[in-house]
Amino acid sequence: MTRIDALPPLREVIARHDLRAKKQLGQNFLLDLNLTARIARAAGDLTQCDVLEIGPGPGGLTRGLLAEGARHVLAIEKDARAIPALQEIADACPGRLTIIHGDALDVDPLAHLTPPVRIAANLPYNVGTELLIRWLTPPQWPPFWQSLTLMFQKEVAQRIVAKPGSKAYGRLALLAQWRCDAQIVLTLPPQAFVPAPKVESAVVQLTALPGPRFPADPAVLSELTAAAFNQRRKMLRAALRGVHPEIEALLTASGIPPTARAEEIGLEAFCTLARNLAEARRT
């Protein structure tokens, strides 16, 4: 038995530290250590990696990551009540767990991580999408991370892996699939969590590609997709009217019917449009 295995059950830890989940923090704790171990294994071989974990709560996934051999785990936790519980894990794994008490939206983790880096987290529901978009749109690519293994509401996970023409397809799918391979690797029912959410959850694995699938300026592509999907049912010539005065001609030159809607257009076509738009703005 390892020192991690000797730690008390999570329910006991939650009771001892008064760690009842708070709705305002987007907390839903996963207490089944078999499931947290499966998520940790989905993150791949961690033995030569540092792992960034956001919102560890009482530390179920943290235990799994360390048990799977993570070289070092950096856990960023906003809830001060969870810090003593996480410290118990750190004491059981000397030198392998660093805990930062703070808001993940405000903390720069790079000073505490040594490449290669993977990110694995049961993300708080209220900040999960914002963090994902930040990780997908860094100033430089490849990013500081090799892969993301993230739990979301199932609806959000489906938006990340969606294909053109599907109901879930949108800006999140484009940004994720432009520079990553993305797949859902695990689905969890509400009763796996405490408290049980009203929806299913899913774990998405995103692996960073060396470069984008198609060339495009990141800022222009981000601008285009934001405008295009802001009014999903509008024809693109109307949705993108504010982007460029000759948008209809640019759409046609990019092989996109001006009467098409954003949800019908694939990644390659959007990248072509982004390149043509950038060129038009330079001339």
Side-chain angles (χ1 to χ4, degrees):
M1 177 181 290
T2 68
R3 295 183 67 181
I4 297 175
D5 294 329
L7 289 167
L10 287 176
R11 289 186 184 277
E12 179 183 320
V13 172
I14 288 171
R16 181 155 40 88
H17 295 286
D18 191 26
L19 271 173
R20 291 184 300 272
K22 290 185 175 181
K23 185 176 181 180
Q24 63 266 38
L25 293 177
Q27 292 175 327
N28 296 90
F29 297 144
L30 184 60
L31 304 186
D32 187 332
L33 294 179
N34 291 318
L35 289 175
T36 58
R38 287 179 65 185
I39 297 169
R41 286 194 293 271
D45 183 1
L46 305 178
T47 56
Q48 303 300 317
C49 295
D50 281 11
V51 181
L52 171 61
E53 183 186 6
I54 306 298
L61 179 56
T62 314
R63 295 190 193 189
L65 295 168
L66 292 165
E68 288 300 314
R71 181 177 63 191
H72 181 256
V73 175
L74 172 64
I76 301 176
E77 176 55 62
K78 185 176 183 179
D79 189 351
R81 301 173 304 156
I83 303 303
L86 294 168
Q87 188 59 50
E88 293 177 9
I89 303 174
D91 293 341
C93 303
R96 294 180 61 207
L97 174 61
T98 298
I99 305 159
I100 294 180
H101 176 214
D103 189 329
L105 295 174
D106 300 326
V107 173
D108 180 4
L110 295 182
H112 307 275
L113 295 166
T114 301
V117 175
R118 297 177 186 264
I119 300 177
N122 173 13
L123 289 174
Y125 283 156
N126 55 355
V127 298
T129 302
E130 182 173 353
L131 283 170
L132 175 60
I133 290 175
R134 286 190 184 190
W135 291 327
L136 291 173
T137 57
Q140 296 181 331
W141 196 273
F144 74 89
W145 49 268
Q146 289 185 334
S147 67
L148 309 172
T149 306
L150 306 173
M151 186 183 301
F152 297 96
Q153 293 181 11
K154 187 177 179 181
E155 178 184 353
V156 176
Q158 290 172 330
R159 286 167 50 203
I160 295 168
V161 303
K163 301 303 179 186
S166 66
K167 184 178 179 181
Y169 180 69
R171 183 169 183 253
L172 198 54
L174 275 160
L175 293 178
Q177 295 171 40
W178 181 42
R179 297 193 283 196
C180 297
D181 284 329
Q183 61 178 326
I184 293 175
V185 295
L186 186 64
T187 301
L188 297 97
Q191 55 268 30
F193 298 87
V194 176
K198 296 180 181 179
V199 296
E200 288 185 299
S201 299
V203 178
V204 181
Q205 175 80 1
L206 297 107
T207 303
L209 298 171
R213 295 185 191 279
F214 309 103
D217 180 282
V220 177
L221 184 63
S222 180
E223 176 191 0
L224 268 179
T225 54
F229 287 100
N230 186 47
Q231 303 176 71
R232 292 177 61 92
R233 298 187 182 280
K234 270 196 171 185
M235 295 179 185
L236 282 173
R237 65 184 179 193
L240 299 177
R241 184 176 292 120
V243 171
H244 193 275
E246 302 297 328
I247 191 61
E248 191 160 346
L250 289 172
L251 284 163
T252 300
S254 304
I256 302 172
T259 56
R261 292 169 173 78
E263 53 268 33
E264 302 167 346
I265 305 305
L267 173 59
E268 184 175 7
F270 264 112
C271 289
T272 301
L273 178 60
R275 294 196 302 274
N276 289 338
L277 174 59
E279 179 62 28
R281 286 174 171 175
R282 286 192 292 267
T283 58

